[in-house]
Amino acid sequence: MNYLFLQTPTSRREMLRDSATLAGSAFLAHLFPTTVLRASAAQAAQEAPSPADMLANLRAQMGAAPIEAQKLADNLTLLSGPGGNVVVLNGPDGKFVVDTFLSPAWPKLKETLDGIGNAPLKFVIDTHWHFDHTDNNAPLHAAGATVLAHENTKKRMSEPHDLPVFGVHFDPSPADALPHQTFAVSHNLQANGETLALQHFAPAHTDTDIYIHFQKANVIHMGDTFFNGFYPYIDSGTGGKISGMIAAADKILPLADNYTKIVPGHGPLGNKADVTKFREMLVTAHDRIQKLKSAGKSAQEAVAAKPLADLDPVWGKGRINGDVFVQVAYLAL
């Protein structure tokens, strides 16, 4: 396997070549339809499809998932499906929406939000900058919501980015999609009989991550600092650190009891035990991969050593398999 896909390609051709090399991996096999990967491999020595086409394919596939609703409390609903997990607080003070799914899901998201109640949209809270959590900021703002996030989220969304692991390029987000209110460390909201405590993590999944603690309902949304049941993606290109992912779990666990509902960025609703298991996996992965890196092993050599072979049957069933996670973690040390 070629590992250049985790570095910034210098051309569209290199981006395609690296994506085609990954066509057999569990990661891209989940991200893109087989026909797309075959077409990419066939064109690898020719002109590559544009990063915009790759992004459109990614949005179309992931954004087509149905939205499933789950009650977390009388006024709190979890929506899962087309790009992460969305939490909606509803009541007389308006709707407060955490994260926003991918853009193709907007008609379904609007219909679902309308079905929750007649209260107007009040706030959108972004857990971090990634597109699968911020794609519908603009239409939600147009519908009346104020977008709130950490100050680094606005900074990252205002910049162009290449995410070679996806083979895509992002232009700066339009002005109407950017957060309108930001904070540096923490921010509290009082609404619908609930206290929302927002807190910034040290760099973890990215350098933009926050958690949202619905204190009365005993619900915590961790964003992508928690992937429930499978290996996470850590975006070292925007400050992500595996040590920060461990620190994020350490920050949340004292806030939780055995009844706390913990919402991951991706995966099913979790609890304190699930976050504990996730942390243990991260610590094991960190220590094993750090040992290889400290011994002078390259990323390729680290993968070849299969340091996570015993963890893969449990944690390697998501979009990122064990070999890809070794590379992701290697760069995020």
Side-chain angles (χ1 to χ4, degrees):
M1 182 180 289
N2 186 308
Y3 303 93
L4 292 176
F5 81 102
L6 286 173
Q7 303 169 9
T8 302
T10 57
S11 70
R12 291 169 59 202
R13 183 166 308 205
E14 288 184 20
M15 185 176 290
L16 177 68
R17 179 201 64 206
D18 299 335
S19 297
T21 303
L22 279 169
S25 77
F27 184 57
L28 277 191
H30 281 281
L31 285 180
F32 296 107
T34 303
T35 52
V36 172
L37 293 175
R38 286 174 179 167
S40 296
Q43 297 176 40
Q46 304 172 16
E47 179 66 15
S50 71
D53 289 340
M54 296 295 281
L55 179 57
N57 286 329
L58 180 57
R59 278 192 166 111
Q61 187 198 10
M62 296 177 68
I67 294 176
E68 298 180 359
Q70 179 179 353
K71 275 286 187 182
L72 301 178
D74 287 343
N75 60 353
L76 207 59
T77 304
L78 171 63
L79 306 178
S80 302
N85 288 314
V86 169
V87 170
V88 183
L89 174 68
N90 179 61
D93 295 324
K95 294 190 182 82
F96 291 67
V97 182
V98 179
D99 286 346
T100 74
F101 289 146
L102 287 153
S103 53
W106 169 241
K108 293 182 293 183
L109 177 58
K110 182 181 185 303
E111 180 182 357
T112 302
L113 291 173
D114 290 344
I116 288 175
N118 296 324
L121 287 163
K122 188 71 173 179
F123 271 94
V124 166
I125 303 169
D126 295 331
T127 60
H128 63 292
W129 81 269
H130 282 156
F131 73 118
D132 51 333
H133 299 260
T134 62
D135 245 6
N136 287 306
N137 279 7
L140 283 162
H141 173 56
T146 297
V147 180
L148 171 65
H150 187 262
E151 60 189 12
N152 286 351
T153 293
K154 184 173 184 177
K155 175 179 179 290
R156 294 299 188 184
M157 291 179 69
S158 301
E159 303 167 339
H161 294 279
D162 289 303
L163 291 185
V165 74
F166 297 113
V168 298
H169 169 81
F170 294 93
D171 292 324
S173 298
D176 58 353
L178 297 177
H180 310 99
Q181 292 186 17
T182 63
F183 63 93
V185 179
S186 62
H187 187 84
N188 285 348
L189 293 169
Q190 300 283 339
N192 300 322
E194 181 62 84
T195 297
L196 291 72
L198 286 60
Q199 183 78 34
H200 182 232
F201 288 114
H205 173 66
T206 67
D207 62 8
T208 71
D209 305 304
I210 66 170
Y211 69 85
I212 299 90
H213 188 186
F214 298 88
Q215 294 180 342
K216 181 179 178 182
N218 197 16
V219 171
I220 302 172
H221 196 321
M222 289 182 65
D224 279 6
T225 64
F226 176 35
F227 283 53
N228 192 11
F230 43 91
Y231 292 129
Y233 175 56
I234 304 171
D235 186 0
S236 57
T238 56
K241 299 287 184 183
I242 188 170
S243 59
M245 295 286 285
I246 296 166
D250 288 339
K251 197 165 189 175
I252 293 300
L253 287 171
L255 300 176
D257 58 34
N258 292 334
Y259 301 98
T260 306
K261 297 172 182 176
I262 304 179
V263 179
H266 300 272
L269 181 65
N271 55 31
K272 187 172 185 176
D274 294 321
V275 175
T276 300
K277 292 175 186 175
F278 182 68
R279 181 193 181 279
E280 291 171 352
M281 178 275 292
L282 290 171
V283 169
T284 299
H286 174 277
D287 292 350
R288 293 177 183 178
I289 299 167
Q290 181 66 71
K291 184 176 180 180
L292 291 167
K293 190 171 186 177
S294 297
K297 302 295 185 183
S298 66
Q300 295 94 325
E301 291 168 331
V303 171
K306 298 291 182 183
L308 307 183
D310 58 323
L311 302 181
D312 289 348
V314 174
W315 297 97
K317 298 176 181 178
R319 294 187 180 277
I320 296 180
N321 65 17
D323 286 352
V324 174
F325 185 60
V326 171
Q327 300 163 66
V328 168
Y330 187 98
L331 292 181
L333 287 169

